[in-house]
Amino acid sequence: MKTSVKGQRVGAAIIDYMLVALCNFLLSLVFMFIFLPILTGGRYGAIGLTFSIGSITIYGTLASLIFYFIYYTLFPYLTKGSTIGKLIVGIKVVNLEYQKPTFMQLLIRNIFLLETLVFSLPLSLLSFFIIDPLIFLGLFVNLIKYGINLTILIMILATDDERGFHDYLAKTYVVDKNFDIDRLTKANALERSQMEWAIFDDGSLPPDEKDSTVNNQGEDTIEILNRKR
């Protein structure tokens, strides 16, 4: 019923990742050079005494949670299923009925928000108590997160319905931005032939269209026979 968007999904993911990385970098600069001096009372050099590593980590994690929520849930909800990357390449998220996804569906499929909640936030809280093993724990957590993202990529590229497990959890698909199930069901043969973004399981005309075509052919045949007589 719908055409493949595997390449577009990969392109959108790359664009989104670059934008998110850039925004995180800018937020880090703002935090380090604006908010941190305020929080430490201007004693930036004495940060070890006035502002713990755990506090810095937890603030950064909470900022990431807010950013991921805005970028991957709130923004797609306002745009009816698209992040900035998806808007650029022309795809959108839909529910199982190919309609606009609900807010909860977009929240559930927000894999970066879930990863931060499940892995990064506990690690940030742990930094209040231990520091030395934190680097190794951070590497281990990052490996898990990369493994999850790689699994999603493989599922999208290797399966016919092109859904990662976050799509299964949220009960969503990703389709071309022009994909409209209501329009497809009402389209005639000529309109369908112009819909390059859609693939129809049955190449024939809709039932109503078939009947009208058959009737028209029958009328034409009778008229020709009458003329011959």
Side-chain angles (χ1 to χ4, degrees):
M1 195 64 176
K2 62 186 181 67
T3 190
S4 174
V5 291
K6 293 180 180 179
Q8 290 164 283
R9 290 195 70 172
V10 173
I14 293 174
I15 293 172
D16 287 332
Y17 181 83
M18 293 175 64
L19 288 175
V20 168
L22 176 61
C23 289
N24 279 333
F25 175 71
L26 294 177
L27 286 174
S28 298
L29 292 180
V30 171
F31 179 78
M32 290 294 294
F33 295 103
I34 297 179
F35 289 104
L36 189 58
I38 295 175
L39 292 171
T40 58
R43 290 172 292 176
Y44 192 84
I47 187 174
L49 297 176
T50 59
F51 203 73
S52 68
I53 294 177
S55 298
I56 297 174
T57 306
I58 195 68
Y59 273 107
T61 303
L62 291 176
S64 296
L65 282 172
I66 295 172
F67 181 75
Y68 287 141
F69 170 77
I70 294 173
Y71 191 89
Y72 287 105
T73 298
L74 184 59
F75 186 81
Y77 181 73
L78 297 176
T79 59
K80 299 181 179 180
S82 296
T83 58
I84 294 177
K86 286 183 173 66
L87 285 174
I88 292 175
V89 303
I91 56 178
K92 63 182 179 181
V93 178
V94 295
N95 61 22
L96 296 183
E97 287 74 39
Y98 299 101
Q99 304 295 337
K100 176 185 174 181
T102 65
F103 182 84
M104 186 57 63
Q105 285 178 310
L106 291 171
L107 183 63
I108 293 173
R109 80 182 306 276
N110 189 342
I111 191 64
F112 296 106
L113 182 68
L114 294 177
E115 287 175 347
T116 305
L117 280 172
V118 175
F119 300 109
S120 300
L121 186 58
L123 188 65
S124 300
L125 295 174
L126 195 62
S127 65
F128 279 102
F129 307 100
I130 58 173
I131 296 177
D132 294 336
L134 200 61
I135 296 177
F136 299 101
L137 287 173
L139 290 174
F140 179 69
V141 166
N142 285 330
L143 284 175
I144 294 177
K145 291 164 67 175
Y146 284 130
I148 292 173
N149 297 333
L150 181 61
T151 301
I152 291 176
L153 176 62
I154 293 174
M155 290 180 68
I156 291 172
L157 296 178
T159 58
D160 293 334
D161 55 3
E162 304 175 9
R163 299 169 73 195
F165 67 79
H166 65 315
D167 285 311
Y168 285 101
L169 289 175
K171 298 181 180 179
T172 57
Y173 288 106
V174 176
V175 298
D176 189 278
K177 67 176 182 179
N178 295 316
F179 190 88
D180 187 341
I181 192 66
D182 294 329
R183 180 184 170 193
L184 289 177
T185 55
K186 298 176 182 178
N188 57 39
L190 178 59
E191 291 172 330
R192 290 190 177 192
S193 66
Q194 297 173 346
M195 296 178 183
E196 299 178 354
W197 42 267
I199 296 176
F200 299 93
D201 296 331
D202 183 4
S204 60
L205 298 175
D208 295 338
E209 196 75 17
K210 285 182 179 178
D211 295 339
S212 62
T213 303
V214 172
N215 291 335
N216 290 336
Q217 289 178 344
E219 291 173 0
D220 292 340
T221 303
I222 295 173
E223 185 178 351
I224 292 174
L225 290 176
N226 289 336
R227 285 181 182 177
K228 286 183 179 180
R229 292 177 183 176

